[in-house]
Amino acid sequence: MKKILSYAGKDKKYIYSAIMLLLFSTICGIIPFFLLNTIIVRLIEGQFVLGEALTMILGIGLCLLMKTLFYGGGLGLSHLGAFNILYNIRKSFSENMARHPMGHIMSEG
């Protein structure tokens, strides 16, 4: 991993930003389960209030929307970072090959 990130250069920001967005996406994907659990527990205990339940249902929808947005952003940034790293690896490889004589390349494989 360190070797690959050494080719990232200034593009590390895309990878780290993607990690943060995907972390936020995961958190936003977990919160609806807690909200739904609260609704179910209050319903079973007989403390169900429709206004609170509707607020929690709205919160569930908002969390799922945010999960999707964070995931899309993180996925886009991770691909941007990955393709930039791949470009840097290929560029480094071609520069390295250009420095060696062709006979050396043919004999070494």
Side-chain angles (χ1 to χ4, degrees):
M1 186 70 173
K2 283 184 180 182
K3 181 70 172 169
I4 291 173
L5 282 178
S6 70
Y7 290 102
K10 62 181 177 141
D11 297 321
K12 284 182 187 177
K13 64 184 175 194
Y14 296 126
I15 301 297
Y16 294 132
S17 297
I19 291 170
M20 291 305 298
L21 287 176
L22 293 171
L23 177 66
F24 293 151
S25 173
T26 303
I27 292 168
C28 287
I30 294 172
I31 292 173
F33 290 101
F34 289 108
L35 294 175
L36 186 61
N37 179 55
T38 303
I39 292 171
I40 292 171
V41 167
R42 288 186 182 173
L43 186 64
I44 291 172
E45 292 176 348
Q47 300 172 351
F48 183 77
V49 177
L50 184 61
E52 289 178 7
L54 291 176
T55 303
M56 288 184 203
I57 291 171
L58 182 64
I60 289 170
L62 182 63
C63 283
L64 293 176
L65 176 66
M66 295 302 292
K67 175 188 177 209
T68 303
L69 294 175
F70 284 140
Y71 181 78
L75 188 65
L77 286 175
S78 70
H79 279 75
L80 184 62
F83 288 124
N84 287 341
I85 290 171
L86 184 58
Y87 170 77
N88 290 339
I89 290 172
R90 288 179 176 168
K91 184 178 168 187
S92 173
F93 177 73
S94 66
E95 289 171 356
N96 188 25
M97 294 298 283
R99 285 194 305 258
H100 289 37
M102 194 55 133
H104 177 73
I105 295 171
M106 297 299 264
S107 67
E108 294 291 323

